[in-house]
Amino acid sequence: EAKAAGKASWARFEPRMRHEVVNHARLGSELHNAIIRHELYLAYQPVFDLVTGRLACVEALVRWNHPTRGNVPPNDFIPVAERSGLIVPLGSWVLREACTQLAAWRAEYGDAAIGSINVNVAARQLRDPGFVDEVTAVLADTGLVPANLVLEVTESSVVDGRQVRDTLEALHGLGVRLALDDFGTGQSSLSLLRAFPVDVLKLDKSFVDGICDGEDRGRLAVAAAVSQLAEYLDLYAVAEGIETAEQAERLRRMGYRLGQGYHLAKPLPPGEVAVLMTRPATAPVAA
Ligand code: C2E
Ligand code: MG
Ligand code: MG
Ligand code: MG
């Protein structure tokens, strides 16, 4: 109604860019209220051991159930939140919620529960001087130990100078593990591995998409090289965005021990993750 009319009138006399700016500004102010109005929630995408088929851990992914727009995808609102600085309170909420959920699973299922949870962290959060203290406080409040937490950072957010490196080193020193997300898509992958304490490489989905394409030797080569690199550097390699059984099998044979993707499981509500934790070990997912 009003929203549709507003959209149409913008479209009539405004260039597309202007429309986007306005839309983002509105989205930004709505996001501001989203936390207190309980419009945000987390979905948990399982990461599986590709050899045993067991659930290894989960990645927490934020969701926004907007009262009129419905579900807004993170790729639409995370960039807005990053530009406005709202990513800092939003990210704080995600961190606390994810750790609270893991603590609840561990309290309920004990040894059957997963041992760690992956949380995405934006560049702005890493630059916040209080971030290490915040992580420490959340772990203490939820009763988790640092080894229960894996923070996913992107290459572009860690090429950010001295302060970010100090932050990552402090977190790593506590025992929190660090994963390089979307690995292979950045500019400086190899030098980064020596400059920062990295524990996990997450091969970006774009390379997984290419591995079964006989014509695309380039992406196959990157996927294979990242697996080798992880092995030599004694890091975990995780393949993300696995959509077919064939991809899972190829990646497993390439040396990927861990994988996530719609073929294995979509991002799930907590109750469905609990079902996976309590089911008996099944045949290897990739076999
Ligand atoms: P990401 O961290 O690389 O997360 C993986 C994304 O790939 C998720 O999208 C997931 O749902 C999607 N995905 C997983 N398997 C498949 C598959 O087989 N096929 C396809 N097509 N997609 C798959 P999602 O949840 O929409 O999140 C998108 C991005 O938004 C994330 O990419 C991450 O960069 C960001 N994000 C999500 N939650 C948070 C958060 O709490 N904080 C921050 N800073 N960023 C977040
Ligand atoms: Mg991630
Ligand atoms: Mg990723
Ligand atoms: Mg990604």
Side-chain angles (χ1 to χ4, degrees):
E1 359 69 347
K3 214 177 69 191
K7 214 170 184 178
S9 62
W10 280 117
R12 208 172 52 224
F13 58 85
E14 289 291 334
R16 209 173 138 261
M17 280 310 290
R18 175 67 196 277
H19 173 71
E20 259 170 30
V21 168
V22 171
N23 207 13
H24 277 175
R26 197 197 293 152
L27 208 60
S29 68
E30 292 172 352
L31 192 52
H32 196 78
N33 295 315
I35 300 176
I36 33 180
R37 292 183 186 157
H38 301 288
E39 293 166 14
L40 299 180
Y41 63 98
L42 297 182
Y44 299 91
Q45 187 172 36
V47 176
F48 289 96
D49 184 316
L50 294 176
V51 176
T52 65
R54 291 191 77 98
L55 178 66
C57 62
V58 295
E59 177 177 5
L61 295 160
V62 69
R63 297 289 177 259
W64 181 10
N65 184 15
H66 188 282
T68 58
R69 296 173 203 264
N71 265 308
V72 184
N75 285 333
D76 288 355
F77 68 86
I78 293 289
V80 176
E82 282 181 349
R83 276 197 295 276
S84 67
L86 273 176
I87 193 69
V88 173
L90 188 156
S92 294
W93 179 83
V94 170
L95 176 67
R96 188 167 286 274
E97 179 73 11
C99 289
T100 302
Q101 180 61 68
L102 179 62
W105 281 326
R106 293 189 63 74
E108 186 162 1
Y109 301 105
D111 287 343
I114 49 174
S116 61
I117 192 156
N118 289 23
V119 176
N120 292 287
V121 173
R124 283 284 270 269
Q125 290 175 271
L126 294 175
R127 288 204 302 270
D128 187 314
F131 188 65
V132 177
D133 287 344
E134 179 188 339
V135 171
T136 307
V138 169
L139 292 172
D141 293 348
T142 55
L144 296 181
V145 296
N148 294 139
L149 182 62
V150 179
L151 297 178
E152 296 196 4
V153 300
T154 60
E155 291 169 76
S156 56
S157 70
V158 298
V159 292
D160 218 19
R162 182 63 196 267
Q163 203 208 326
V164 168
R165 181 165 55 205
D166 289 349
T167 296
L168 294 174
E169 248 144 35
L171 290 166
H172 196 258
L174 291 173
V176 171
R177 280 168 297 160
L178 302 172
L180 270 183
D181 205 355
D182 305 334
F183 190 70
T185 58
Q187 297 297 312
S188 49
S189 313
L190 297 180
S191 57
L192 267 186
L193 295 179
R194 297 174 59 227
F196 295 94
V198 176
D199 305 281
V200 181
L201 300 180
K202 295 193 77 172
L203 178 73
D204 190 66
K205 178 184 190 310
S206 56
F207 303 103
V208 172
D209 289 340
I211 59 167
C212 293
D213 177 352
E215 307 292 296
D216 196 341
R217 304 289 297 168
R219 288 191 288 180
L220 176 67
V222 173
V226 168
S227 163
Q228 288 288 299
L229 194 60
E231 194 181 322
Y232 282 122
L233 295 175
D234 210 15
L235 310 174
Y236 286 95
V238 182
E240 60 179 14
I242 300 172
E243 293 184 341
T244 69
E246 191 189 359
Q247 288 170 348
E249 174 60 15
R250 290 252 183 141
L251 288 160
R252 189 181 64 76
R253 278 196 267 130
M254 235 177 242
Y256 285 88
R257 184 73 196 243
L258 299 170
Q260 70 188 101
Y262 294 170
H263 169 66
L264 305 169
K266 292 207 165 173
L268 303 172
E272 289 185 41
V273 176
V275 171
L276 291 177
M277 288 188 303
T278 51
R279 80 176 181 191
T282 53
V285 280

